[in-house]
């Protein structure tokens, strides 16, 4: 129920000041109070002129977009507006890109400008997607004699933000030299952080690190940001080393954001041992009570295929929030345990917390991986019908994944043609993946063409399309795809698999013979292949892209990176213990069949995380039910 706007009896300046104090937070929260603000402005006309009082009324009227025109009208009626009058309106107009031109016109009319004026307009242009204009304004400020004193850490920080937004390292370096020469912000932590951020986002990580190392004071925020910048740049090793250096630095303790960032990197690289060490440190500090950091723990363990640890962390959380529930549901979906994903979703709904669009992505993903078409479509319709959440491109991508995996291409194509939002790359990739399973060449071409438009440099699309052509014997088309890749300079990402043994990560490529235990690895595979043939195994050479002799195809497919990693895991880990492998690409169908048999022959549980899902192989059966 809306609160009735207050009424004010104003006959003195003191009463007007008190009324402004009471009305300001109300108007910020609700435009319904705009008439009361206009009434106060009208009442001021009967009082002696006061620039201070006018400025306070400008501040009040400009606090809500609805009364902003009234603020502009008031400004034009003030006998002697000062810089504060103009700054208030420039700052208010700058909040919206729609009013940026008006803010600039007012700024240009100002008789005198200070650092606040320049910072407001420079940061506005940067914030609203016009960073080059922001940099031009900052240069103009430096050239204007009337702007003496405006060139300080506030305006310089705004200009640095513009250089960062423009990804212009040259302009950023010029600004760095300028502030260093002038001594601007020499002891200001915000300025130093802005410099580090600028260099990192402009791809100059070494320069960012040099600035970071030279900072007079490095707090937990600056340490965390620098660690994250290494992770964002794909230089995880340096990020982890800097994190360890932070731990050794006295006086600076990691916070929940530090731990969450390191855990995310551990999850992406599947370095479970480091994630466990971070977990141990968190447990010894108060950070262990943070939902934010503990949700990152859930994500890390689920991305490493350890759902038992995920459950332990979840059940030990003092307070479970939406992110934690979603992490549980998505974790089980990714680990090929849809029944558990649905069980936790039912528990979540009973908890009283309202699901969001991300929660439903996890549920729909579980349906897709389990092939539960009816259940998935039921959930898809509930999102809007029951919860009033608009379908997102990711929801559609999950449903297209569900339909195309099950071979229901007519329904999938009909949904794509009728969907209310533009298909994203994940939807087209899902359709292409379904076409790979069912060898649907026609739709594969449509999906690939859409992906070529969205991300023409992504080699995965070309390789998947070539795989589909090869699977139906269209080797001329395979060669055509290969020639397009050569013309565009696109190279296939080499398939690699890795396994962590004794806190050391061992990486394998296809046909790799660089490992110190190569002879043992190949000897074991040869022995295993003999036993597999006794079980009826015949290599599916349709997964080899080259049009070569069958014997060569069987040899090529027999030494894929995941098989080498599995063989090393068997000889390097205790008998009977699980083997956990990670692969950067999707596992091929023949390797999937082979590892199922190897798990049966060796009586070992073998866990493989590929680029799409976890495969838990045990006793000759995979958790994905051969549906991935």
């Amino acid at each position: 129920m809306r609160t009735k706007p207050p009424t004010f009896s104003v006959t003195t300046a003191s009463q007007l000041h008190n009324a402004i104090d009471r009305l300001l937070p109300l108007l910020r929260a609700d435009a319904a109070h705009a008439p009361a603000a206009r009434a106060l402005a009208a009442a001021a006309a009967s009082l002696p002129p006061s620039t201070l009082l006018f400025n306070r009324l400008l501040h009040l009227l400009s606090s809500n977009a609805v009364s902003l025109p009234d603020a502009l009208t008031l400004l034009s009626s003030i006998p002697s507006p000062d810089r504060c009058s103009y700054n208030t309106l420039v700052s208010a107009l700058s909040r919206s890109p729609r009013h940026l031109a008006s803010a600039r016109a007012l700024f240009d009319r100002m008789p005198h400008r200070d650092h606040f004026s320049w910072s407001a307009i420079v940061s506005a242009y940067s914030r609203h997607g016009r960073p080059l204009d922001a940099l031009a304004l900052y240069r103009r400020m430096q050239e204007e004699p009337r702007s003496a004193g405006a060139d300080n850490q506030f305006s310089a920080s705004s200009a640095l933000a513009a250089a960062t937004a423009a990804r212009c390292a040259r302009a950023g370096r010029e600004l760095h030299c300028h502030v260093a020469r002038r001594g601007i912000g020499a002891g200001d932590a915000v300025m130093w952080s802005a410099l580090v951020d600028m260099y990192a986002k402009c791809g100059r990580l070494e320069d960012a690190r040099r600035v970071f190392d030279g900072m007079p004071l490095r707090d937990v925020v600056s340490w965390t940001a620098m660690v994250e910048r290494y992770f964002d740049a794909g230089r995880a090793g340096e990020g982890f080393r800097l994190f360890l250096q932070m731990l050794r630095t006295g006086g600076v303790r990691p916070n929940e954001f530090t731990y969450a960032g390191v855990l995310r990197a551990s999850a992406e690289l599947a370095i479970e041992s480091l994630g466990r060490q971070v977990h141990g440190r968190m447990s010894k500090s108060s950070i262990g009570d943070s939902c934010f950091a503990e949700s990152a723990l859930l994500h890390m363990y689920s991305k490493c295929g350890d759902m038992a640890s995920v459950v332990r962390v979840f059940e030990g959380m003092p307070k479970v929030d939406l992110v934690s529930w979603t992490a549980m549901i998505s974790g089980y979906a990714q680990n090929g345990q849809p029944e558990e994903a649905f069980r936790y979703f039912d528990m979540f709904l009973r908890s009283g917390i309202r699901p969001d669009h991300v929660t439903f992505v996890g549920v729909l993903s579980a349906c897709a991986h389990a092939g539960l078409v009816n259940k998935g479509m039921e959930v898809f319709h509930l999102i809007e019908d029951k919860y009033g959440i608009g379908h997102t491109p990711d929801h559609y991508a999950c449903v297209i994944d569900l339909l195309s995996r099950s071979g229901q291409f007519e329904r999938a194509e009909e949904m794509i043609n009728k969907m209310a939002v533009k298909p994203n790359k994940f939807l087209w990739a899902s359709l292409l993946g379904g076409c790979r399973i069912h060898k649907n060449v026609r739709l594969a071409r449509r999906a690939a063409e859409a992906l070529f438009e969205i991300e023409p440099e992504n080699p995965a699309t070309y390789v998947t399309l070539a795989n589909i052509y090869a699977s139906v014997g269209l080797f001329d088309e395979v060669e055509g795809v290969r020639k397009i890749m050569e013309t565009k300079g696109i190279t296939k990402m080499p398939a690699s698999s890795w396994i962590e043994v004794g806190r050391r990560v061992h990486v394998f490529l296809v046909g790799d013979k660089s490992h110190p235990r190569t002879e043992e690895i190949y000897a074991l595979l040869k022995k295993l292949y003999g036993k597999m043939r006794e079980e009826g195994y015949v290599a599916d050479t349709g997964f080899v892209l080259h049009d070569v002799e069958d014997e060569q195809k069987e040899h090529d497919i027999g030494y894929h990176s995941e098989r080498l990693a599995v063989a090393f895991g068997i000889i390097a880990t205790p008998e009977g213990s699980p083997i956990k492998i990670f692969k950067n690409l999707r596992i091929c169908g023949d390797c999937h069949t082979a590892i199922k048999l190897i798990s049966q022959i060796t009586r070992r549980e073998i866990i493989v995380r590929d680029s799409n899902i976890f495969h838990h192989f045990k006793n000759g059966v995979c958790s994905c039910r051969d549906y991935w």
Side-chain angles (χ1 to χ4, degrees), residues 38-107:
R38 295 186 190 108
L40 290 183
S46 62
L47 299 173
S50 164
T51 303
L52 173 62
L53 193 55
F54 283 131
N55 285 345
R56 294 212 64 210
L57 284 166
L58 285 173
H59 185 215
L60 172 67
L61 290 167
S62 64
S63 66
N64 194 295
V66 169
S67 53
L68 192 52
D70 300 289
L72 287 166
T73 302
L74 178 61
L75 178 68
S76 64
S77 69
I78 297 175
S80 302
D82 60 9
R83 268 183 299 197
C84 182
S85 311
Y86 284 101
N87 283 343
T88 299
L89 267 297
V90 169
S91 177
L93 289 165
S94 296
R95 286 196 289 264
S96 167
R98 189 160 55 95
H99 298 308
L100 186 57
S102 299
R104 177 62 183 273
L106 189 60
F107 173 84

Side-chain angles (χ1 to χ4, degrees), residues 16 28 30 45 48-49 67 83 159 179 225 227 309 337 343 371 373 468 473 516 528 536 573 586 610:
L16 185 54
R28 280 177 176 162
D30 191 345
S67 53
R83 268 183 299 197
V179 299
V227 170
S309 293
Q337 299 180 56
R343 188 170 74 86
V373 176
I468 294 168
L528 286 171
T573 58
R586 190 190 293 260
D610 68 6

Side-chain angles (χ1 to χ4, degrees), residues 305-458:
D306 187 355
M307 291 307 297
S309 293
V310 173
V311 172
R312 280 194 295 271
V313 172
F314 182 81
E315 291 181 347
M317 292 176 70
K319 182 181 178 183
V320 180
D321 62 3
L322 172 64
V323 177
S324 310
W325 280 108
T326 301
M328 289 296 294
I329 295 163
S330 300
Y332 273 117
Q334 283 295 108
N335 276 271
Q337 299 180 56
E339 295 84 1
E340 286 298 297
F342 300 139
R343 188 170 74 86
Y344 272 88
F345 180 58
D346 290 338
M347 291 165 57
F348 164 66
L349 294 178
R350 290 196 298 271
S351 74
I353 301 174
R354 184 176 175 80
D356 67 359
H357 66 283
V358 181
T359 312
F360 285 110
V361 171
V363 179
L364 289 171
S365 178
C367 294
H369 290 306
L372 301 174
V373 176
N374 292 336
K375 173 79 172 176
M377 296 308 298
E378 177 189 336
V379 170
F380 179 76
H381 292 302
L382 280 176
I383 294 172
E384 273 194 346
D385 297 345
K386 183 175 180 179
Y387 295 98
I389 299 172
H391 288 134
T392 69
D394 289 335
H395 294 153
Y396 281 105
C398 287
V399 174
I400 295 304
D401 191 27
L402 171 65
L403 294 173
S404 58
R405 280 170 182 268
S406 61
Q408 298 189 35
F409 291 108
E410 287 185 12
R411 290 181 70 182
E413 201 165 12
E414 182 182 359
M415 175 169 280
I416 291 170
N417 293 334
K418 291 182 178 180
M419 59 190 281
V421 296
K422 185 178 180 180
N424 62 12
K425 64 181 181 180
F426 302 108
L427 181 147
W428 292 117
S430 296
L431 181 62
L432 189 62
C435 292
R436 178 192 61 84
I437 296 169
H438 298 282
K439 303 178 181 180
N440 187 322
V441 175
R442 182 186 66 83
L443 269 184
R445 286 192 177 117
R446 180 183 176 186
E449 286 169 3
L451 286 168
F452 293 151
E453 288 288 327
I454 298 170
E455 42 181 14
E457 306 302 317
N458 186 354

Side-chain angles (χ1 to χ4, degrees), residues 236-251:
E238 289 159 288
F240 290 135
R241 282 193 290 274
L242 187 62
F243 171 66
L244 295 174
Q245 183 181 331
M246 176 188 182
L247 296 178
R248 292 192 292 266
T249 301

Side-chain angles (χ1 to χ4, degrees), residues 113-133:
R113 307 181 188 94
D114 59 10
H115 71 84
F116 186 91
S117 322
W118 286 102
S119 296
I121 198 69
V122 170
S123 61
Y125 272 99
S126 176
R127 190 168 59 251
H128 298 313
R130 296 175 61 179
L132 296 178
D133 291 325

